[in-house]
Amino acid sequence: MLIDGVIAQVGKEIVLKSDLDQTADAQKRQAPGVEIEMCRVFEDLLMEKLLLQQAALDSVEVAEDEVQANIDRRIQVFIQQIGSQAKLEQYYGKSVLEIREEMAPLIKNQLTAQ
């Protein structure tokens, strides 16, 4: 049984099994009831890593304030969808601060890839 490990590598960027699982879980939370295709999630992660690799070659950087603003917007949308900050924390089993910290590298990668 594989607990965690590298499942792919694109240049210097790696994809961990936990990255795949975390991305799939996030998609399930954002679209309850929609079937998540793991092959599609994996393909999207590979594409993101390819774009990150190219961004590194092109010296593309995303400002930290842009990352934080994007996280703020997403947290606000989540709060509106679920009803309150307390309900959001209960749903994720984490504080908003922990949710923000978990989201930061993912959002930075997404913005860099874009």
Side-chain angles (χ1 to χ4, degrees):
M1 177 169 88
L2 179 66
I3 295 173
D4 199 9
V6 176
I7 57 174
Q9 181 174 353
V10 179
K12 294 179 183 177
E13 297 288 331
I14 61 170
V15 178
L16 298 173
K17 172 77 167 91
S18 59
D19 295 336
L20 180 64
D21 293 339
Q22 185 178 24
T23 302
D25 289 343
Q27 288 182 8
K28 288 176 187 174
R29 284 193 297 267
Q30 290 175 359
V34 176
E35 185 177 337
I36 303 299
E37 297 177 23
M38 292 303 281
C39 288
R40 179 71 176 166
V41 174
F42 184 57
E43 181 181 306
D44 291 345
L45 280 173
L46 290 177
M47 181 58 73
E48 181 180 290
K49 297 300 182 182
L50 178 63
L51 293 172
L52 287 172
Q53 182 69 27
Q54 187 61 46
L57 292 173
D58 293 343
S59 300
V60 173
E61 293 186 27
V62 175
E64 188 61 31
D65 60 338
E66 185 178 353
V67 173
Q68 291 306 315
N70 192 290
I71 291 171
D72 291 343
R73 283 192 300 275
R74 289 179 188 222
I75 293 289
Q76 288 307 312
V77 168
F78 293 159
I79 289 172
Q80 288 175 353
Q81 288 176 336
I82 206 159
S84 71
Q85 181 174 326
K87 287 181 182 178
L88 179 68
E89 290 175 336
Q90 181 181 10
Y91 180 76
Y92 279 94
K94 301 175 183 177
S95 70
V96 169
L97 181 61
E98 291 171 318
I99 296 168
R100 287 176 181 278
E101 288 175 359
E102 187 177 285
M103 289 176 72
L106 301 173
I107 299 301
K108 184 169 185 167
N109 285 347
Q110 287 176 358
L111 292 174
T112 301
Q114 288 176 357

